[in-house]
Amino acid sequence: MKVLIATDGSKYGKWATEWVARMPLADKPEVTLLHVTDVEALRAPFMFQPVVIGNEPFIQEEIKRIEARAKTTMAEAKAQMAALKLKGKLVSARGAAGPTVLDAAPKRDGLVVIGSRGLDALDRLMLGSVSTQVTLHAPCSVLIVKEEPRPLSRILFAADGSKASEKALRFLLTKIQPEAREGLEPIDVVVMHAMPFLKYPEVKEAGARLVEQCANKLIKAGYVVDEVVQLGKPADEILKVASKKKVDLIVTGAKGMGAVARFLLGSVSTKVVQHSHCSVLVVR
């Protein structure tokens, strides 16, 4: 599987690289580590107003500092990949960070791994958060790294019966190695389905059947499974269960990432990405 790691030299970018090295992927990843130098981000529109036109020398000084930092980041990334025994290529690019990462993203069956930096409240309010852009627009699956990597022992899989959810399940069945590795127990998957408060028992029964069907496939593949059916707002319930079960990773389909759903508040996967304390894999 082709994997693009986007790094900016921050701890989140370094964690992203470590996640790729430690994830129990079924196939050895073909890694491209990308660092983007985005000097134009310094030139906000107000910088061109006459009253502050004298700021140009300071901007040039900051550009030099950013370029020097880029060289340091690439050297550190090369050393980190060697230490983690990750094979692949390192690419340094110039341009707008979000679009550059998207242009370099693998198609369909690939994976982009990026730190969650930029998903805090301020950056969500301001357009341009790189990780948000990539999550919403990437042509492939995206892993948003929020924590320092640790052995992947418990995953929450959010099932809703959609095609996007089926793709997420297929990722777990074909891209992740569930069997014990390095003396660890098989990965435990919390399969959950959340539905709104409705008075019809048939709805809850359908949700339980969906969870059971997914669970059976995961058990057959070698996972240990815990089945959960919740009543409530899906995103809120996913976050509650993830916290209660202390999962290492949430896996969800990209349903709700279209333009209309992004305009309307309430996209389940978007809310989970924004508010989860653990890393999130959005599958396409």
Side-chain angles (χ1 to χ4, degrees):
M1 179 170 59
K2 293 184 178 179
V3 177
L4 176 71
I5 305 171
T7 186
D8 60 358
S10 68
K11 65 180 181 181
Y12 295 97
K14 293 175 182 178
W15 288 348
T17 305
E18 291 180 37
W19 263 86
V20 173
R22 299 184 66 169
M23 278 188 75
L25 295 172
D27 298 314
K28 187 172 292 186
E30 297 178 38
V31 176
T32 298
L33 190 144
L34 173 67
H35 177 267
V36 182
T37 304
D38 186 3
V39 296
E40 291 304 314
L42 293 172
R43 300 180 181 278
F46 67 83
M47 288 294 186
F48 295 101
Q49 300 299 322
V51 69
V52 290
I53 200 69
N55 282 341
E56 183 62 24
F58 300 103
I59 294 175
Q60 291 299 325
E61 189 64 30
E62 184 65 11
I63 288 173
K64 291 180 181 179
R65 189 192 69 79
I66 289 174
E67 290 177 337
R69 178 57 187 164
K71 292 181 180 179
T72 300
T73 297
M74 291 299 287
E76 291 175 348
K78 183 177 181 180
Q80 184 185 26
M81 285 185 65
L84 295 171
K85 298 181 180 180
L86 270 180
K87 294 185 178 180
K89 60 182 180 180
L90 286 81
V91 177
S92 180
R94 293 176 68 96
T100 303
V101 172
L102 290 170
D103 285 344
K107 307 304 179 187
R108 293 189 178 276
D109 291 334
L111 177 67
V112 174
V113 184
I114 189 167
S116 65
R117 186 179 178 184
L119 287 178
D120 61 330
L122 179 59
D123 278 332
R124 287 201 304 275
L125 180 65
M126 299 171 63
L127 295 178
S129 164
V130 176
S131 49
T132 301
Q133 288 182 58
V134 173
T135 304
L136 295 176
H137 300 294
C140 61
S141 301
V142 180
L143 172 62
I144 304 95
V145 172
K146 295 197 169 193
E147 295 181 311
E148 194 170 359
R150 55 180 180 267
L152 191 58
S153 60
R154 181 167 292 170
I155 295 171
L156 186 151
F157 165 55
D160 65 2
S162 67
K163 289 184 178 180
S165 178
E166 291 174 3
K167 290 180 180 179
L169 177 61
R170 197 178 309 126
F171 191 101
L172 288 173
L173 295 173
T174 62
K175 304 294 185 182
I176 301 293
Q177 178 65 256
E179 287 84 5
R181 301 181 70 184
E182 299 179 0
L184 300 176
E185 294 296 320
I187 295 173
D188 182 6
V189 179
V190 179
V191 182
M192 75 162 292
H193 175 67
M195 64 201 81
F197 291 101
L198 294 173
K199 297 181 180 179
Y200 305 102
E202 295 84 1
V203 176
K204 187 173 182 179
E205 290 172 5
R209 285 196 301 271
L210 170 64
V211 168
E212 183 180 10
Q213 290 169 3
C214 295
N216 288 338
K217 292 179 180 179
L218 290 163
I219 291 170
K220 187 176 180 180
Y223 290 99
V224 174
V225 174
D226 183 10
E227 300 178 30
V228 177
V229 178
Q230 296 285 107
L231 291 175
K233 295 181 179 179
D236 293 341
E237 295 306 317
I238 290 169
L239 293 169
K240 286 178 186 177
V241 172
S243 178
K244 181 180 179 181
K245 297 287 187 178
K246 298 180 180 179
V247 304
D248 306 305
L249 178 69
I250 296 174
V251 177
T252 179
K255 182 182 179 182
M257 290 295 190
V260 174
R262 287 199 305 275
F263 179 73
L264 298 171
L265 294 178
S267 164
V268 174
S269 49
T270 302
K271 187 171 183 179
V272 169
V273 167
Q274 291 175 346
H275 297 287
S276 171
H277 293 295
C278 67
S279 298
V280 180
L281 173 63
V282 178
V283 178
R284 284 186 175 82

